[in-house]
């Protein structure tokens, strides 16, 4: 059939299963929006307040479902507003297709109105990007974008489309969804050797990350852990893969991980790193990291092997497939002595004190976890509240804790929560944010209201940029430069102005009541929680330090 | 231990490929000593020859990160003994009549050719292994160099790869 470029975009989106997209209109994408009007029964378009919000929403959609998120923006400022969202998805390996309009091909390169070279701008933060200059290539380029976003290590792909290409016509042949090639398994001998190492280890530990989530490997990972009784710990991106109540789950590792977890890595004789990349928040000191251990690295991305920490052995491929192939070679084991030592360390773990008078952050998060239940999806912004959320959220399912791990993007949370709620209308979505982060994206309240999304936003308000202030306390002698903005924002009133409700609470009892009510009402709401500005995220290992440098008060 | 490595990268012959490779190097802070790009016998493929320096871990990272680019068809390090490395030099020397014959003598020894002559300057051209060019420059540097230009290394492996 003879279709315009804009219609081809709609057809390919449908063909690739992208029936929900997030975006914001503008001159360069008018033809596309005109086509979307025609396709409105088949493609749901969610308009956000800001393109950054749309990009985080597409990302939250992808993180919570495993499908590829799609975001659409106009040229120039629309396109540049996507940059933070694209970079966020890139750092956390989220499959995302970003479509941007551009000025007509005859205007490109002339500093025309709303022209930017977005392909150049996004080169370092995309897996790949395209500029389509000819309508006959459009369909295949879009398909390629979906294929690349989902192949191997997932990531964002940008397709920039000049306005005249969306108007031009060409023949279109529908095809099915792109086939994602499965990576080959490593050689059987290599898998056997790794299994032997695991069988022989006296003090093994598994350290896993978001790659387990991408691969859907949580069940086989749990099998491995339980067959050989190997203690496991995870990065922030691995939150929810193994439930916190599992005695073999030692929790989060790294800068704000437990003492036991970091100690266990330090004393282990074998680290099995699965779907993770030894970032500087985990391997704070790359030379001292697990220095008594042999390291086996299992990952889909060969360029991660020995990038930060030297691996003694590596298995490249889909982590789920590799673990499944390895599992029959794993001998059941008890590791009694090792586990007893770990249990003993656990008595030394930092435990925050509860209060009945003032709101303490861990109590806020635990209450959310308890009342919202295991099925709830939690999205966070960035700062102390993010770490408290990670430490106490008690997720038991992968894809239920959405956070910007790699880039640390303040302003990620509300958009991500919107995307997650659109994708999972039957699940609770709770957005945990800080007063600083929320000021960056609270404009998305209008989206939440327009689409009637019952997202509960919990604002952990310490009145300061808590995480930065914590560093100033610990490393800069309390010189609080620009971290106490003295804002006068009345969140409840702002909420009202946007057309949703807002409450402010000061005690655990008030919070519990407000949160229970919010769950019952099932409407969009902001709950502002006032906490002390000197609350810290503990424990903490300073950048570059080891478990011996851990700070606990 | 820092070493120099010559990498041969075969990439899709698209506009923007060079920018993508350069952007990767820029972002990751890799040090490029020289870079040449040119067509190959296959019109769909270009060859980028990059000389980089770093320790072994850095060079391995450069190879695996570059390999990850969508447009990279192949990347390999060229082994010194099994490869031919060539570079072209053009050097303009200040040379009046009295110096000309001395310069010509040096040029002859190195197999360089004098390709241009004016009243008080000459341009010498030399093709060869980079070390030969370095050596030639060492000697010719005794004279007054007005301008010079090196192309950067272009290289091929000898024989047929199995
Ligand atoms: C976009 C962006 N700008 C700046 C930072 C640096 N930063 C990290 S945490 C933080 C403070 C966050 O404050 P808030 O959202 O109030 O959370 P809190 O730490 O108080 O819980 C800042 C400014 C960032 N991560 N992202």
């Amino acid at each position: 059939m003879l279709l315009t470029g804009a219609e081809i975009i709609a057809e390919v989106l449908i063909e690739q299963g992208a029936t929900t997209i997030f975006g914001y209109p503008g001159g360069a994408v008018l033809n596309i929006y005109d086509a979307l009007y025609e396709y409105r029964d088949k493609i749901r378009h969610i308009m956000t307040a800001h393109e950054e919000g749309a990009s985080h929403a597409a990302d939250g959609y992808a993180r919570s479902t495993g499908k590829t998120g799609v975001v659409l923006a106009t040229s120039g400022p629309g396109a540049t507003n996507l940059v933070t969202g694209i970079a966020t998805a890139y750092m956390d390996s989220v499959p995302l297709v970003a479509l941007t309009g551009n000025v007509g091909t005859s205007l490109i390169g002339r500093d025309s109105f709303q022209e930017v070279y977005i392909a150049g701008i996004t080169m370092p933060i995309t897996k790949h990007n395209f500029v389509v200059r000819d309508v006959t290539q459009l369909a295949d380029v879009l398909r390629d974008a979906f294929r690349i976003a989902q192949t191997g290590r997932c990531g964002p792909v940008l397709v920039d489309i000049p306005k005249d290409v969306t108007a031009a016509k060409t023949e279109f042949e529908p095809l099915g969804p792109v086939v994602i090639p499965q990576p080959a398994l490593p050689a059987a001998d290599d898998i056997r050797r790794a299994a032997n190492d695991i069988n022989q280890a006296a003090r093994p530990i598994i350290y896993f990350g978001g790659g387990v989530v991408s691969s859907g490997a949580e069940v086989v990972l749990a099998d491995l852990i339980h067959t050989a009784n190997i203690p496991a710990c995870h990065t922030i991106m691995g939150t929810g893969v193994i439930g916190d109540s599992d005695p073999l789950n030692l929790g989060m590792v790294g800068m704000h991980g437990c003492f036991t977890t970091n100690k266990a890595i330090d004393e282990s004789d074998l680290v099995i790193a699965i779907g993770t990349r030894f970032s500087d928040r985990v391997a704070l000191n790359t030379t001292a990291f697990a220095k008594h251990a042999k390291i086996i690295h299992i990952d889909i991305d060969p360029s991660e092997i020995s990038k930060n920490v030297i691996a003694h052995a590596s298995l490249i491929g889909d982590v789920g497939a590799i673990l499944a192939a390895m599992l029959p070679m794993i001998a059941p084991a008890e590791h009694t002595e090792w586990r007893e030592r770990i249990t003993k360390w656990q008595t030394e773990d930092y435990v925050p004190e509860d209060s009945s008078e003032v709101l303490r952050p861990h109590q806020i998060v635990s209450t959310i976890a308890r009342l919202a239940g295991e099925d709830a999806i939690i999205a966070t912004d960035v700062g102390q509240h993010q770490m408290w959320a990670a430490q106490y959220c008690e997720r038991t399912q992968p894809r239920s804790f959405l956070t910007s791990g790699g880039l640390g993007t303040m302003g990620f949370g509300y958009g991500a929560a919107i995307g997650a709620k659109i994708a999972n209308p039957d699940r609770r979505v709770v957005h945990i944010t800080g007063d600083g982060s929320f000021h960056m994206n609270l404009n998305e309240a209008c989206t939440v209201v327009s689409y009637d999304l019952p997202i509960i936003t919990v604002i952990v308000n310490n009145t300061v940029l808590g995480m930065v202030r914590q560093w100033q306390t610990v490393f800069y002698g309390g010189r609080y430069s620009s971290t106490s903005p003295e804002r006068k924002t009345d969140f409840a009133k702002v909420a009202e102005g946007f057309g949703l409700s807002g409450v402010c609470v000061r005690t655990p009892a008030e919070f519990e009541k407000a949160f229970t009510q919010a769950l019952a009402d099932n409407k969009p709401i902001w709950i502002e929680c006032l906490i002390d500005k000197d609350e810290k995220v503990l424990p903490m290992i300073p950048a570059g330090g080891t478990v011996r440098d851990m700070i606990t008060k | 231990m820092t070493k120099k490595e010559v990498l041969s990268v075969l990439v899709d012959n698209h506009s923007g490929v060079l920018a993508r490779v350069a952007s990767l190097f820029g972002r990751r802070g890799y040090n490029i000593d020289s870079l040449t790009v040119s067509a190959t016998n296959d019109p769909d493929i270009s060859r980028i020859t990059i000389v980089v320096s770093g320790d072994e871990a850095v060079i391995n990272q450069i190879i695996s990160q570059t390999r990850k680019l969508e447009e990279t068809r192949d990347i390999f390090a060229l082994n010194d003994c099994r490869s031919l490395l060539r570079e072209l030099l053009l050097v303009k020397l200040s040379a009046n009549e009295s110096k000309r014959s001395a310069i010509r003598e040096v040029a002859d020894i190195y197999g360089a050719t004098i390709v241009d002559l004016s009243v008080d300057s000459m341009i010498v051209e030399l093709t060869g292994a980079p070390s030969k060019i370095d050596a030639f420059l060492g000697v010719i540097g005794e004279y007054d160099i007005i301008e010079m230009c090196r192309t950067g290394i272009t290289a091929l492996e000898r024989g047929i790869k199995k």
Side-chain angles (χ1 to χ4, degrees), chain A residues 48-57 84 379-382 385 404 409-418 431-448 455 457-459 487 491 494 498 500 526:
Chain A
T48 53
H50 187 295
E51 287 89 353
E52 186 187 340
S55 64
H56 295 319
T84 305
T380 82
D381 275 290
V382 169
H385 65 276
S404 168
T409 310
M410 289 171 77
F412 169 77
Y414 217 9
I418 289 170
H431 166 218
I432 300 179
T433 185
D435 50 303
S437 292
F438 201 39
H439 274 107
M440 289 197 182
N441 68 349
L442 53 74
N443 51 348
E444 293 304 340
C446 65
T447 314
V448 166
I455 294 167
T457 293
V458 176
I459 308 157
R487 292 190 171 127
F491 285 105
V494 176
F498 272 111
L500 42 71
W526 295 358

Side-chain angles (χ1 to χ4, degrees), chain A residues 90 128-129 301 303 307, chain B residues 20 27 61 68 70-71:
Chain A
Y90 183 71
H128 192 59
N129 61 25
D301 181 356
S303 69
K307 184 180 82 180
Chain B
R20 208 179 296 281
R27 167 164 108 79
Q61 263 298 304
K68 262 204 324 195
E70 269 306 306
E71 288 146 327

Side-chain angles (χ1 to χ4, degrees), chain A residues 16-66:
Chain A
Q16 299 305 320
T19 50
T20 302
I21 68 171
F22 302 84
Y24 206 94
V29 284
L30 270 172
N31 295 328
I32 303 177
Y33 274 87
D34 193 55
L36 286 176
Y37 190 78
E38 205 56 45
Y39 283 82
R40 63 191 182 282
D41 295 337
K42 294 187 186 143
I43 298 176
R44 185 172 187 206
H45 176 272
I46 307 290
M47 195 189 93
T48 53
H50 187 295
E51 287 89 353
E52 186 187 340
S55 64
H56 295 319
D59 175 319
Y61 183 93
R63 285 184 206 236
S64 66
T65 59

Side-chain angles (χ1 to χ4, degrees), chain B residues 105-143:
Chain B
E105 222 168 89
V106 178
D108 278 348
I109 292 169
Y110 280 89
T113 34
I114 291 159
V115 288
D116 185 65
L117 193 64
S118 71
V119 183
D120 43 19
S121 78
M122 58 206 289
I123 298 178
V124 183
E125 173 190 319
L126 174 63
T127 316
S131 54
K132 176 173 165 182
I133 295 194
D134 290 340
F136 176 67
L137 278 173
V139 180
I140 211 78
E142 294 292 311
Y143 300 90

Side-chain angles (χ1 to χ4, degrees), chain A residues 26 51 67 78 105 160 170 186-187 216 239 268 283 304 317 358 364-365 385 427 451 457 463 467 471 526 539-540:
Chain A
E51 287 89 353
K67 292 192 228 164
T105 35
D160 191 44
T170 191
T239 306
S268 65
E304 285 303 334
V358 297
I364 299 174
V365 178
H385 65 276
R427 291 175 70 179
Y451 293 93
T457 293
T463 72
M467 187 58 103
W471 282 55
W526 295 358
M540 175 187 196

